[in-house]
Amino acid sequence: MRVQTGDVRLFFDVEGAKLVPEGPAMRERPTVILLHGGPGVDHTEFRSFGPALAEVAQVVYVDHRGCGRSDRSGPERWNLETWADDVRALCDALDIQRPVVLGHSFGGMVAQAYAARYPDHPGKLILSSTTAKLRLDRMLPVFERLGGAEASDVARRFFADPMPSFHDYIRVCLPLYRQSPPDEGALARAVIHLDVGGHFVKGEMQTYDLRADLARVRCPTLVLSGDLDPFATVEDARDLVAALPAELVTSRSFPRAGHAVLDDARDEALAAVREFIGAA
């Protein structure tokens, strides 16, 4: 399905009911909006995690503008401010009130920007394997520890100039994102626009810094991280927690998980997310 949100139509899909029968009444469940990583890929990375989440909530999958099956728009609109505005516009178009917004990786950057720009809009925020600022000085040593000098070198070249190194990065570095067996069909199923990822990595990713903005967040926030994540490192997770209002933030770290924390620590991460969503 697609819905008009300003200048683009965003692709979305829904799993799970908003209202469920409970005795003589219909009980309303929270709505969780899943913001995928990338940018340039699509929401299908969540398709193995979403069904279990839909047992306790209505789940909305969405492709960011320029990604997957959503309208591409143009490079001048491929930025965190616009992607954050799109989250708000999607909720307005679908009449979603007080959503729980779960952002993974790049989607977590969008979620941070959205929650800071519209602090009274989200009901809760979940930031999974994400960063408030690019820190190559933290990232490259973890890539080297997990994949040797080649991985560190490819990552360094990719984040300096992504397009010439994209396929090397996918071949050498992407397998280091996870500690669980990969879904061999995942990349084949995804609708991928490498130019969107290249534009963001070479551009805004080099300079974005959301740490000061996070002080404006007003909703309960859960930070999930993996101790073996080469992209969003343990230190990056600590930065997120430190930047958020202390009375609102909860964090969970998983020692044997990488960047794919929702897969690597599936049962524990799902339990943490479900508990957080259900908490008063």
Side-chain angles (χ1 to χ4, degrees):
M1 297 180 284
R2 292 176 177 83
V3 63
Q4 191 75 36
T5 55
D7 61 322
V8 295
R9 294 175 308 152
L10 296 180
F11 178 89
F12 74 99
D13 204 354
V14 179
E15 188 162 12
K18 180 67 175 176
L19 298 173
V20 294
E22 191 172 87
M26 298 295 285
R27 177 172 59 86
E28 185 172 338
R29 305 195 307 169
T31 296
V32 180
I33 299 176
L34 299 179
L35 303 181
H36 65 80
V41 293
D42 64 10
H43 73 279
T44 55
E45 67 180 13
F46 282 123
R47 282 297 184 171
S48 61
F49 187 79
L53 200 54
E55 295 174 5
V56 298
Q58 181 183 61
V59 173
V60 177
Y61 306 94
V62 60
D63 290 350
H64 303 284
R65 77 164 60 214
C67 302
R69 295 164 179 83
S70 289
D71 288 350
R72 283 179 56 79
S73 182
E76 73 283 356
R77 302 280 281 162
W78 296 340
N79 55 68
L80 289 175
E81 180 178 310
T82 302
W83 281 310
D85 290 345
D86 286 344
V87 177
R88 173 62 190 264
L90 176 75
C91 291
D92 289 347
L94 299 180
D95 196 23
I96 299 173
Q97 306 293 322
R98 306 293 289 170
V100 178
V101 176
L102 190 163
H104 175 74
S105 191
F106 159 75
M109 301 172 197
V110 176
Q112 293 172 61
Y114 150 77
R117 286 174 66 77
Y118 303 101
D120 294 322
H121 193 260
K124 294 183 178 180
L125 188 66
I126 303 171
L127 304 176
S128 168
S129 303
T130 192
T131 67
K133 178 180 172 60
L134 180 68
R135 291 292 302 266
L136 280 175
D137 59 320
R138 295 172 176 173
M139 185 189 305
L140 296 182
V142 183
F143 271 116
E144 183 160 0
R145 187 166 71 246
L146 295 175
E150 182 187 18
S152 177
D153 179 64
V154 169
R156 178 186 53 77
R157 289 190 285 109
F158 173 78
F159 286 102
D161 190 6
M163 294 310 292
S165 306
F166 233 124
H167 292 291
D168 284 343
Y169 190 80
I170 290 171
R171 175 181 59 85
V172 175
C173 295
L174 204 60
L176 304 177
Y177 273 42
R178 61 188 309 120
Q179 297 296 312
S180 56
D183 179 348
E184 297 297 342
L187 281 178
R189 287 193 298 269
V191 177
I192 300 174
H193 304 295
L194 292 182
D195 59 325
V196 182
H199 174 84
F200 181 70
V201 171
K202 190 171 184 178
E204 190 175 14
M205 182 177 272
Q206 302 295 320
T207 59
Y208 83 104
D209 188 345
L210 298 168
R211 291 173 297 178
D213 298 337
L214 292 175
R216 296 199 294 270
V217 173
R218 295 182 186 172
C219 64
T221 303
L222 174 64
V223 176
L224 302 175
S225 61
D227 287 359
L228 301 177
D229 189 340
F231 177 82
T233 67
V234 171
E235 292 86 353
D236 293 315
R238 291 178 186 145
D239 280 355
L240 278 179
V241 172
L244 288 157
E247 69 277 12
L248 296 175
V249 64
T250 304
S251 64
R252 286 290 307 274
S253 178
F254 302 94
R256 291 177 295 279
H259 191 66
V261 67
L262 300 179
D263 290 330
D264 292 350
R266 169 64 57 85
D267 293 344
E268 299 93 332
L270 179 62
V273 168
R274 288 173 59 150
E275 179 183 3
F276 177 73
I277 291 172

